[in-house]
Amino acid sequence: MSDARYNFKEVEPRWQRAWTDKKTFVSSGDGSKPKYFVLEMFPYPSGRLHMGHVRNYTLGDVVARFRKSQGCDVLHPMGWDSFGLPAENAALERGVHPGTWTRENIADMREQFGPLGLSLDWSREISTCEPEYYRHEQKMFLDFVKAGLAYRKESWVNWDPVENTVLANEQVVDGKGWRSGVAVERRKLNQWFLKITDYAEDLLAAIETLDRWPDKVRLMQHNWIGRSEGARLDWAVLKPEGTELPDKLEVFTTRPDTLFGASFCAISPNHPLAAELSESNPALADFVTDCNRLGTSEEAIEKAEKKGFDTGLTAQHPFDSDFEVPVYVANFVLMDYGTGAIFGCPAHDQRDMDFARKYNLPVICVVAPKDADPVAFATELEAGTEAFTGDGVAVKSEFMNGMTVDDAKRAAIKKIETAKSGEGVVQYRLRDWGVSRQRYWGCPVPIIHCDACGAVPVPDSDLPVTLPDDVTFDQPGNPLARHPTWKLVSCPSCGKDAERETDTFDTFFESSWYFARFCDPKNDTLGFDKAEANKWLPVDQYIGGVEHAVLHLLYARFFTRALQTCGYLDIAEPFDGLFTQGMVGHETYKNSDGAWLSPDQVTQSESGDAINSEDGTPVVVGRSEKMSKSKKNTVDPAHIIGTYGADAARLFMLSDSPPERDMEWTDSGIEGAWRYLNRLWRMVVETPTDAGSLPALDTMDVAAAGIVKAAHKAIAHVTEALETFRYNAAVAHIREFTNAIGELNPDLVGAAPARRFAVETLARLANPLIPHITEEMWATLGGNGLLADQAWPKHDPALLVEDSVTLAVQVNGKMRGTIEVAAEADKETCEATALALPTVQAQMDGKQVRKVIVIPGKIVNVVVG
RNA sequence: GCGGGUGUGGCGGAACUGGUAGACGCGCUGGAUUCAAAAUCCAGUUCCCUUACGGGAGUGUGGGUUCGAUUCCCUCCACCCGCACCA
């Protein structure tokens, strides 16, 4: 008997060294085993590892270790998504260079990764802010330009008029600049775009093939791409005398069937016509300015109160020249979608209905439900405030009358096309990807602007275009743009004086191909060798937060296709399997005066109430929220691992909640995990290592043989749970099995070899979850080599078969008892046994049995009445 | 505003394709061990009524389908994620 506690402080570093020394987790890539690429979304080097990271990389580590033990050549790399806004903010606030700040953070975080004991192959480490990485994406971009996949156009940005700088949406708070506090404006800039819309149809269709992605992510991408069939059509503009406005307005609609219900047209505040009209209409100009204060985010625009401005213009219905409607400028019409102009049909669109009620515009019902009385229905609809958006039959619509919505749409489009006033079109909500950023800490766009030649690509021989280090952050704005010399170059085409583009790429650019770089990370002539990429890609299991469900994951899907088009690789889909994890939260605490307190400032009083550990004052305990610095509810992983070890932290993370769900970090939870590790350790110490090989089951005591069967059952359960990401269930099965081993009487015949076998199986099964202690268990039991190199155990299906089963017995669907019958018992036997139960008899008192339902192996339900 | 998700004991959660709701763990209660504590071990623990036997209620709300619903359908509520320049 030993009461020595498990010494993780000595054990964990020892095994970490062993894995590193033996290159246990370095992938060979020699093709002798099936490949398996496990990738977690790489971190932004903020400086500190947080619990979200620990959860993410622990989940990936379980996959990697599990697949390795199943005989795969696992690629499990790590790197740094190291360009981004926070580095510039640090420069602005503390005067430290973004590169210095970033590289120091990377060094710190790499240190913090060590004690976690992850099965990472650090020989493939990459960092996206280094020219060795980003030079290749400059080449890719130029290839995209050549292939017609990149182009320049004007688009809108948030502009801070005080700081004279472009703001990210995140930097716009309630329509105001986060530092200046002044209302933002919209500005138009010439920017680079990637033609993701060229692939819209393919990206949409291929969602079907992503059967190892969560349905919710597939649905979100489907809706984001937002394919809709509709029509573009012209409304004639009736111009006042002597004006030189365009004579038609092109609108987009998904409901051409409701054209006869139109009561207004509306254009975006950013529509060229709005700008033109503003020139001679100061009130309209003010209205447009007002709309532009909302910033550029769709959320802000959609949440804002719906407002319109009557331009005084009149538009003429394409099917009826006597049908005229007013033209408004409306703040909810998006310039980026369709044509930036719509016609409004209040009866059949809720937003148009609200608009009509606000501005006293007519409501004309042109679709009625099939069985409704059209006149009564229309009367009610036209008097109310609820639009009717359901299916029905066209009314008051001339040639469409009596048609279903779908038929009427087709008829309307046909008529529009015949009249040459428009056409049926497929429209996507998806917009091209704007990749230009007016910032320093990003990959320079390799373009030179020449007055004579226009935008000229930097020649291959001059790549990479590297960031200059001598930049200043003493004022807002892009340091590249105000650098005295960096941008001054001669035109590669004509040789005259020209200027470098001072914009850098969106940081999603880097994360759109890093998985390919991991396949061939040291290649300095190419981003990656095609053969290497084809060997490892697609990523077999990708793991990260749901917050990336659309943007990053869609950009990466697009980028891979663009690379395929340009001949870089042979696949279209980068991620074969995707798993989205939940967030890590913690309770929040507030002082009596409302100030946030961190968890280590809070303790329990003797009566069990939460109090401030410093002054004993009462603390208000709030619900669990995402860990954030502002709410002080963060827990430092380094501190946790220093106190309990990596295995305890991992075990709690994995056992607490299903990985896809948000989890709450609790002190008692981590202590429970820690206690379990000690229990495991005691179990090994008390297990004879010289118990001999496992004898035939029928020579052993029933209970000892039962433990062997329990081991096989555990193998089956845990294997299945690990394969389906049900890690919390895997832990439950492991603990259940542990409880069973603990209950085995050591004096029984065969107990010693049974226990030896069971504990060894336990170590094998728990290894992907808690790798250090299980490695120590394996060594203590006398196992050969590293447990990390052992093959995954297999269960014997014959040992899982039960002789008898327990059936639930219900009367009228209510549980009244259970019966034990032979596994192969027939229905009659089950029925008779169930009816004989006293509790069943009591319920049947004076009533007649109407029916008995027997589901073999599950239930008997007696229906009486 | 739009799109997506989640909701089960005091707490985290389990329940295969509609078939014993609460596995496993945390916490709590009682007991053993200890001079004492920690650690460990044993027992109990959804709620209500009952000494007990047993009965009733119960998976966010309200309704529906079914012999049977946490699971399927509809309504409503709460919270979380995303909305294209945060990563």
Side-chain angles (χ1 to χ4, degrees):
Chain A
M1 269 279 219
S2 163
D3 58 4
R5 304 194 74 185
Y6 171 60
N7 184 3
F8 75 88
K9 285 190 178 174
E10 185 274 324
V11 172
E12 292 191 349
R14 178 153 46 76
W15 291 112
Q16 285 161 14
R17 272 195 304 277
W19 298 327
T20 307
D21 292 348
K22 296 195 160 68
K23 295 189 165 41
T24 307
F25 301 116
V26 174
S27 36
S28 79
D30 61 11
S32 61
K33 298 174 185 172
K35 68 98 183 176
Y36 199 94
F37 190 172
V38 187
L39 186 64
E40 302 98 43
M41 291 180 186
F42 65 162
Y44 177 78
S46 59
R48 297 301 299 172
L49 222 49
H50 55 67
M51 280 298 174
H53 290 131
V54 175
R55 192 177 197 196
N56 192 194
Y57 302 122
T58 300
L59 294 174
D61 198 50
V62 174
V63 175
R65 289 174 181 271
F66 180 52
R67 294 302 169 191
K68 176 176 162 61
S69 74
Q70 289 185 320
C72 294
D73 186 11
V74 172
L75 176 57
H76 187 208
M78 182 53 67
W80 312 96
D81 187 16
S82 46
F83 272 139
L85 210 43
E88 289 193 52
N89 291 336
L92 227 54
E93 281 157 19
R94 282 175 266 167
V96 53
H97 190 278
T100 310
W101 184 82
T102 302
R103 292 185 187 102
E104 281 175 1
N105 284 348
I106 289 174
D108 288 348
M109 284 176 79
R110 197 189 293 114
E111 282 293 303
Q112 294 163 43
F113 262 103
L116 289 174
L118 300 170
S119 63
L120 292 167
D121 180 354
W122 284 100
S123 69
R124 290 176 184 257
E125 181 181 359
I126 61 174
S127 175
T128 61
C129 69
E130 306 301 339
E132 293 75 51
Y133 182 85
Y134 69 70
R135 62 181 300 167
H136 303 295
E137 73 190 40
Q138 292 179 335
K139 177 83 172 83
M140 289 169 191
F141 174 73
L142 294 177
D143 284 338
F144 293 166
V145 172
K146 258 184 234 162
L149 293 172
Y151 67 100
R152 252 156 82 85
K153 74 168 180 188
E154 290 210 303
S155 83
W156 298 89
V157 293
N158 301 304
W159 181 261
D160 187 318
V162 171
E163 299 214 311
N164 288 314
T165 182
V166 176
L167 296 178
N169 281 339
E170 192 196 41
Q171 299 169 311
V172 179
V173 182
D174 293 332
K176 300 187 174 69
W178 65 344
R179 283 184 223 277
S180 69
V182 168
V184 299
E185 299 168 1
R186 276 185 224 170
R187 279 227 175 166
K188 236 180 190 175
L189 289 182
N190 230 325
Q191 311 203 63
W192 288 98
F193 282 79
L194 297 189
K195 274 197 181 166
I196 189 171
T197 52
D198 274 10
Y199 296 83
E201 196 62 58
D202 186 39
L203 286 166
L204 185 66
I207 290 174
E208 293 301 313
T209 67
L210 300 174
D211 53 1
R212 290 184 53 234
W213 280 40
D215 286 342
K216 62 177 172 186
V217 175
R218 300 203 295 175
L219 190 54
M220 278 190 265
Q221 293 215 348
H222 180 99
N223 292 340
W224 184 266
I225 294 170
R227 183 185 197 276
S228 58
E229 290 178 6
R232 286 169 186 261
L233 63 149
D234 296 331
W235 289 61
V237 178
L238 303 178
K239 302 180 280 189
E241 288 294 318
T243 53
E244 289 200 22
L245 295 167
D247 48 16
K248 61 183 186 183
L249 179 65
E250 189 184 28
V251 308
F252 172 74
T253 180
T254 57
R255 293 292 303 270
D257 60 305
T258 63
L259 259 166
F260 286 99
S263 58
F264 65 94
C265 281
I267 60 172
S268 164
N270 297 327
H271 195 282
L273 179 60
E276 231 173 307
L277 291 167
S278 292
E279 284 173 19
S280 57
N281 186 343
L284 176 57
D286 287 350
F287 179 78
V288 168
T289 307
D290 202 44
C291 292
N292 284 343
R293 283 198 218 290
L294 285 171
T296 59
S297 88
E298 192 173 312
E299 184 187 6
I301 293 165
E302 293 278 340
K303 267 193 195 156
E305 188 196 345
K306 306 290 176 280
K307 280 195 278 195
F309 187 98
D310 189 347
T311 60
L313 293 180
T314 304
Q316 197 178 58
H317 198 283
F319 296 158
D320 180 355
S321 56
D322 293 333
F323 193 141
E324 294 177 6
V325 298
V327 177
Y328 279 76
V329 175
N331 65 349
F332 58 84
V333 181
L334 304 172
M335 192 60 219
D336 289 323
Y337 185 69
T339 60
I342 60 159
F343 78 81
C345 174
H348 305 293
D349 181 284
Q350 191 57 47
R351 200 170 51 182
D352 294 348
M353 172 65 93
D354 297 342
F355 194 80
R357 290 302 173 216
K358 187 163 181 173
Y359 295 102
N360 292 316
L361 296 162
V363 176
I364 308 158
C365 171
V366 290
V367 182
K370 242 192 189 112
D371 338 311
D373 168 38
V375 177
F377 180 80
T379 308
E380 194 183 326
L381 180 66
E382 289 171 7
T385 53
E386 292 278 301
F388 172 68
T389 55
D391 200 4
V393 182
V395 294
K396 283 189 282 187
S397 294
E398 301 188 359
F399 63 94
M400 292 182 277
N401 283 342
M403 294 183 186
T404 63
V405 167
D406 283 341
D407 288 343
K409 280 182 183 172
R410 276 190 284 274
I413 290 170
K414 198 174 165 197
K415 179 124 177 163
I416 292 163
E417 288 178 345
T418 310
K420 301 229 184 317
S421 62
E423 57 181 347
V425 289
V426 173
Q427 182 70 41
Y428 297 93
R429 206 187 74 95
L430 182 68
R431 310 195 296 254
D432 275 338
W433 173 17
V435 294
S436 297
R437 297 291 181 271
Q438 296 69 46
R439 290 191 237 295
Y440 169 72
W441 196 235
C443 170
V445 177
I447 291 288
I448 292 166
H449 294 282
C450 169
D451 286 342
C453 311
V456 181
V458 171
D460 279 4
S461 56
D462 292 349
L463 292 180
V465 177
T466 56
L467 286 170
D469 276 332
D470 54 336
V471 285
T472 54
F473 288 89
D474 50 354
Q475 48 183 299
N478 183 358
L480 279 184
R482 60 169 182 268
H483 190 284
T485 56
W486 182 75
K487 65 183 170 192
L488 304 178
V489 288
S490 51
C491 172
S493 173
C494 69
K496 289 195 199 118
D497 285 352
E499 286 198 2
R500 276 192 197 290
E501 168 128 9
T502 58
D503 284 356
T504 52
F505 286 130
D506 176 9
T507 56
F508 277 126
F509 212 106
E510 283 83 56
S511 54
S512 290
W513 69 282
Y514 76 111
F515 41 88
R517 181 67 177 170
F518 275 133
C519 301
D520 192 13
K522 306 294 177 207
N523 195 326
D524 49 12
T525 55
L526 298 170
F528 48 87
D529 181 74
K530 193 172 180 174
E532 287 296 312
N534 285 339
K535 177 159 71 186
W536 289 108
L537 294 176
V539 172
D540 295 276
Q541 187 62 59
Y542 196 37
I543 305 167
V546 240
E547 65 271 21
H548 296 289
V550 176
L551 291 181
H552 161 60
L553 288 165
L554 193 58
Y555 288 147
R557 292 183 62 215
F558 153 69
F559 209 94
T560 306
R561 283 169 168 75
L563 289 176
Q564 184 188 33
T565 301
C566 294
Y568 280 78
L569 37 65
D570 294 331
I571 56 157
E573 287 295 340
F575 312 122
D576 192 44
L578 173 70
F579 187 86
T580 54
Q581 81 195 46
M583 297 181 310
V584 183
H586 196 287
E587 279 181 334
T588 50
Y589 307 104
K590 273 185 180 177
N591 243 344
S592 39
D593 58 10
W596 296 105
L597 292 173
S598 69
D600 50 355
Q601 290 174 288
V602 176
T603 186
Q604 280 208 337
S605 70
E606 282 177 21
S607 57
D609 297 324
I611 53 163
N612 189 322
S613 55
E614 283 143 26
D615 55 21
T617 55
V619 167
V620 183
V621 180
R623 63 186 177 80
S624 176
E625 293 186 62
K626 179 177 183 168
M627 287 189 182
S628 78
K629 277 184 197 158
S630 62
K631 286 175 183 157
K632 291 199 177 177
N633 61 336
T634 55
V635 175
D636 183 10
H639 178 72
I640 295 295
I641 289 160
T643 311
Y644 298 100
D647 282 344
R650 293 170 62 118
L651 182 63
F652 173 51
M653 282 263 168
L654 294 167
S655 64
D656 183 66
S657 300
E660 70 277 13
R661 206 159 330 158
D662 292 348
M663 71 166 286
E664 185 186 356
W665 186 271
T666 63
D667 284 352
S668 50
I670 180 75
E671 274 165 26
W674 167 236
R675 277 203 297 273
Y676 176 75
L677 296 184
N678 280 291
R679 189 166 164 221
L680 261 190
W681 183 238
R682 259 178 277 121
M683 189 166 266
V684 176
V685 173
E686 292 164 13
T687 296
T689 52
D690 53 354
S693 56
L694 204 56
L697 291 195
D698 53 11
T699 65
M700 300 163 77
D701 183 274
V702 182
I707 282 298
V708 177
K709 285 185 184 173
H712 283 270
K713 202 176 274 180
I715 294 170
H717 284 148
V718 173
T719 306
E720 216 231 311
L722 291 184
E723 264 161 4
T724 52
F725 273 99
R726 291 161 53 248
Y727 296 156
N728 56 327
V731 172
H733 288 129
I734 285 172
R735 294 187 91 130
E736 219 167 359
F737 180 42
T738 310
N739 292 344
I741 300 173
E743 280 159 21
L744 178 65
N745 180 349
D747 302 327
L748 299 176
V749 176
R755 183 185 170 102
R756 169 76 177 65
F757 172 74
V759 174
E760 184 190 306
T761 303
L762 188 58
R764 288 169 178 269
L765 294 178
N767 176 253
L769 309 166
I770 40 177
H772 307 86
I773 192 170
T774 48
E775 199 73 74
E776 187 74 3
M777 287 166 74
W778 176 255
T780 306
L781 291 172
N784 286 324
L786 289 170
L787 181 51
D789 287 324
Q790 304 303 311
W792 191 250
K794 285 201 165 55
H795 74 273
D796 178 354
L799 294 181
L800 302 190
V801 182
E802 305 280 358
D803 308 335
S804 68
V805 291
T806 307
L807 297 189
V809 180
Q810 298 180 335
V811 178
N812 287 344
K814 280 211 178 289
M815 198 24 208
R816 295 297 170 189
T818 57
I819 53 171
E820 186 88 8
V821 294
E824 67 279 5
D826 58 19
K827 289 196 175 189
E828 288 68 29
T829 314
C830 295
E831 187 175 329
T833 318
L835 285 172
L837 271 184
T839 45
V840 173
Q841 287 296 325
Q843 293 296 326
M844 292 181 356
D845 183 39
K847 291 171 191 148
Q848 215 183 340
V849 175
R850 305 234 176 245
K851 187 158 48 159
V852 179
I853 293 151
V854 180
I855 309 292
K858 305 252 182 191
I859 206 161
V860 179
N861 190 10
V862 184
V863 183
V864 304

